Amino acid sequence: KVEGQNLGTDNVSVIEGEMATISCRVKNNDDSVIQLLNPNRQTIYFRDVRPLKDSRFQLVNFSDNELRVSLSNVSLSDEGRYVCQLYTDPPQEAYADITVLVPPGIPIMDSREDVVSEGNETELTCTAMVSKPAASIRWMKGEQELTGEMTVDETYDRMFTVTSRLRLTVSKEDDGEPVSCIIDHPAVKDLRAQRYLEVLYQPEVKIVQAFPEGLTREGENLELTCIAKGKPQPHQISWLRVDDDVPSHTVITGSDLFIENLNKSYNGTYRCVASNTVGDAYDDYILFVHDSRAGEGAPQKIDHAVIGGVVAVVMFAILCALIVLGRYFARHKGTYFTHEAKGADDAADADTAIINAEGGHNNTEEKKEYYI
């Protein structure tokens, strides 16, 4: 905002092709004349009269305190400094700069190759064509923001073309991940281009024991299934036995391996190998054939548990009995000493004390009565 002594106006930013409005405002007008000039200082409006023969300029408001003019269908040639004049003594001027914004077109996104193998680097480019001012470009891979290398080229008509290059080393987790380039510009919002990464990766292999569910015992059958996933889908799946030959009667059907009537000579490592255009991968299964009755002793563990419980109960009962007996002997021992002490209170010597403690006093009296 530029202020004169008594005159004010505002700078204007407008998108190419849209409308700009210039307002010349007077705080305290003393009937002085207001006029608006273009960057070439040609009079657009003198009071409410338009001398300039350009119908894109239209009077919006005219009063003692304001001259407001609109300019429709703005082009780059309209950019510049416009002058509000107030014919006072001395004359006053205020300046309004019109800036024309040119939004970029839809961004052009390209990649060095459509398909890339895991572990390799790919390059993506995004171009924002002819904008003003120069646009900026951001990159997103899923929810992760990445940084590209940006170059800006200025064209002959004060326009700018911006290109950003993103170098990216991909993994199998990137397959199907969206990559977006986002254009930031004052004249446009949420302008973006997007493409999905296509990543080739070698197989992921896993062997599953389909049968039996538990231990592999002599005489039983064994069925293994090889699950292999990759991009492209593995074109070949093969079975082998590490450091030995596969048993002669083994049946292999694609990803399935079947051995009947197991015996311990079949022990070993069985490997499933899957291949695609990216590479090979494998998974191992270690076969150990148990005795035919292996695992049947499990109920004995329950018997041992029961026996252990019984022993614990017996030990507890013995402990309780010992405690009761201990308390019993302690009580009788205390009584003996109590009686002996009681006899000692009235006795002249030790023999008399013992007789008194055992109730001998009464017996003596009876004997005395007897002899009398």
Side-chain angles (χ1 to χ4, degrees), residues 5-37:
Q5 295 174 349
N6 199 28
L7 187 63
T9 187
D10 299 301
N11 293 330
V12 179
S13 292
V14 59
I15 297 174
E16 183 182 32
E18 296 188 359
M19 178 182 291
T21 301
I22 305 170
S23 174
C24 301
R25 298 181 299 275
V26 182
K27 292 180 181 178
N28 299 299
N29 197 352
D30 55 358
D31 294 330
S32 298
V33 174
I34 309 173
Q35 73 169 351
L36 176 64
L37 309 178

Side-chain angles (χ1 to χ4, degrees), residues 11-81:
N11 293 330
V12 179
S13 292
V14 59
I15 297 174
E16 183 182 32
E18 296 188 359
M19 178 182 291
T21 301
I22 305 170
S23 174
C24 301
R25 298 181 299 275
V26 182
K27 292 180 181 178
N28 299 299
N29 197 352
D30 55 358
D31 294 330
S32 298
V33 174
I34 309 173
Q35 73 169 351
L36 176 64
L37 309 178
N38 66 13
N40 296 323
R41 299 193 72 87
Q42 296 171 320
T43 301
I44 300 173
Y45 267 90
F46 182 85
R47 297 176 64 88
D48 57 349
V49 177
R50 176 169 56 84
L52 190 66
K53 297 187 182 301
D54 188 342
S55 60
R56 294 182 305 142
F57 290 99
Q58 293 293 322
L59 184 65
V60 178
N61 181 52
F62 173 72
S63 67
D64 290 341
N65 296 318
E66 183 185 41
L67 171 62
R68 191 190 311 167
V69 177
S70 65
L71 171 60
S72 60
N73 194 22
V74 175
S75 65
L76 282 175
S77 61
D78 296 320
E79 201 171 53
R81 173 164 289 186

Side-chain angles (χ1 to χ4, degrees), residues 251-322:
V251 177
I252 297 176
T253 308
S255 59
D256 296 330
L257 178 145
F258 181 79
I259 304 176
E260 63 178 358
N261 194 20
L262 292 174
N263 65 64
K264 294 185 177 182
S265 66
Y266 299 159
N267 287 348
T269 301
Y270 292 76
R271 176 173 295 175
C272 171
V273 182
S275 306
N276 65 7
T277 56
V278 181
D280 302 334
Y282 67 86
D283 189 26
D284 287 341
Y285 172 86
I286 299 175
L287 173 63
F288 182 81
V289 179
H290 297 264
D291 294 334
S292 59
R293 297 182 61 83
E296 294 180 0
Q300 295 178 3
K301 295 181 180 179
I302 299 176
D303 296 340
H304 289 311
V306 172
I307 293 172
V310 172
V311 171
V313 171
V314 171
M315 293 300 295
F316 179 75
I318 293 173
L319 181 61
C320 291
L322 290 175

